[in-house]
Amino acid sequence: MADDKKGLSRRDFLKTTGIATGTLVGGGLIGGLVGYNANKGGTGTLDKKKGNDEHAQATNTRGLMFFTNQNEFNVLSQAVERIFPKDDLGPGAIGLGVPFFIDNQLAGNYGSNAKEYMQGPFFAGESTQGYQSKLTRAEIFKQGMASLDSEAQKRFDKRFVEIDGGQMDEVLTAFQKNEVNMIGVSSEFFFKLLRTATLEGAYADPIYNGNINMDGWRMKGFPGHQMSYINEIESEKFVKIEPKSVSSMEH
């Protein structure tokens, strides 16, 4: 999203929501990034020719662990890019590898809820009560991808990956507002999972297959995992530190 007087830039949004300081405040990303994309009439983040070629190349060089249906992965990729779009500050969710991060997480304990209590009884909980569904995250995401496609077909007679950016925002907003029927889970809850996973993939350590080249950290000026700050701690000036991943630390 470019900086102009008609909408907020991603930098403005990060500042006003508190994401720049490591917290989430206010109405969430859909009210910020996706909402401003819609106001500015954005197009799909993957441009028809170039974007699809880049996506195909990325898929060929990085293996999937959870999604076996390519369309489901493409839907995920487009959805997270609308939540965290590429702009003049740096790469978006696709460029940061967020779709692969989510795919890998769904293939593990995160997707199976292996470390969480998942027995009944199951009731529709309040938004403040945390995880309430009898479905695992893997099951919710699989249903979510199909539901995004179905809602796009219903509204625009096209698959989700075929509609433009503004239309994608409309579909995602409907999920956030709980206007779409899903089985065993609310569409609002699915959207919250998707948004949270997008942020995690953008800012997690690169060892988890997101935050490629630590660009998510670079956009925030976060130094990653440093052995120490003993050489800079007494400096009276701001010190820009090249970020480091856990994988680069000496043992």
Side-chain angles (χ1 to χ4, degrees):
M1 297 182 300
D3 294 286
D4 60 32
K5 295 181 180 180
K6 296 182 180 179
L8 294 182
S9 68
R10 181 161 69 186
R11 176 178 295 161
D12 293 330
F13 177 71
L14 294 180
K15 287 180 179 179
T16 57
T17 56
I19 295 177
T21 58
T23 60
L24 281 172
V25 181
L29 279 180
I30 195 76
L33 296 181
V34 172
Y36 295 130
N37 280 342
N39 293 337
K40 296 156 83 69
T43 58
T45 306
L46 283 179
D47 292 336
K48 297 300 181 183
K49 182 66 171 68
K50 180 180 178 182
N52 288 332
D53 289 345
E54 290 176 351
H55 181 73
Q57 183 178 6
T59 303
N60 290 334
T61 56
R62 303 181 66 194
L64 298 177
M65 299 174 64
F66 175 74
F67 288 104
T68 56
N69 182 303
Q70 188 62 48
N71 181 62
E72 290 178 343
F73 186 72
N74 292 344
V75 170
L76 173 68
S77 299
Q78 290 283 12
V80 297
E81 183 74 5
R82 294 310 297 173
I83 294 173
F84 198 98
K86 175 183 178 181
D87 63 9
D88 59 319
L89 296 179
I94 292 176
L96 290 171
V98 170
F100 290 95
F101 167 85
I102 295 176
D103 170 83
N104 293 176
Q105 292 298 308
L106 290 174
N109 289 338
Y110 171 84
S112 64
N113 297 67
K115 297 184 178 181
E116 298 169 59
Y117 183 82
M118 293 293 290
Q119 302 300 313
F122 298 100
F123 298 102
E126 300 296 329
S127 60
T128 57
Q129 290 182 298
Y131 205 98
Q132 295 292 315
S133 176
K134 64 182 179 181
L135 303 179
T136 65
R137 293 185 186 89
E139 292 170 330
I140 292 175
F141 268 83
K142 289 280 285 187
Q143 184 185 168
M145 297 306 103
S147 296
L148 286 170
D149 242 358
S150 296
E151 191 65 18
Q153 290 276 6
K154 175 182 176 182
R155 291 171 182 257
F156 308 110
D157 199 27
K158 294 180 181 179
R159 296 162 58 189
F160 186 79
V161 297
E162 296 172 338
I163 60 180
D164 64 35
Q167 293 170 330
M168 289 180 183
D169 294 343
E170 180 181 323
V171 171
L172 288 168
T173 300
F175 277 77
Q176 189 208 19
K177 292 182 177 180
N178 208 29
E179 297 173 351
V180 180
N181 291 325
M182 295 181 65
I183 300 173
V185 66
S186 70
S187 63
E188 177 186 16
F189 185 71
F190 160 66
F191 177 81
K192 288 180 179 179
L193 283 181
L194 179 64
R195 180 185 62 194
T196 300
T198 300
L199 287 176
E200 290 172 349
Y203 296 121
D205 191 285
I207 62 174
Y208 299 107
N209 260 348
N211 190 15
I212 292 177
N213 198 35
M214 295 174 282
D215 283 337
W217 290 349
R218 287 188 170 88
M219 285 188 283
K220 293 183 66 173
F222 180 66
H225 304 283
Q226 303 289 325
M227 291 294 292
S228 74
Y229 299 93
I230 192 169
N231 294 327
E232 295 86 12
I233 196 169
E234 295 184 359
S235 175
E236 296 182 358
K237 298 181 179 180
F238 176 78
V239 179
K240 186 175 182 179
I241 302 174
E242 182 68 11
K244 290 185 178 180
S245 166
V246 168
S247 61
S248 67
M249 298 179 68
E250 297 181 359
H251 298 284

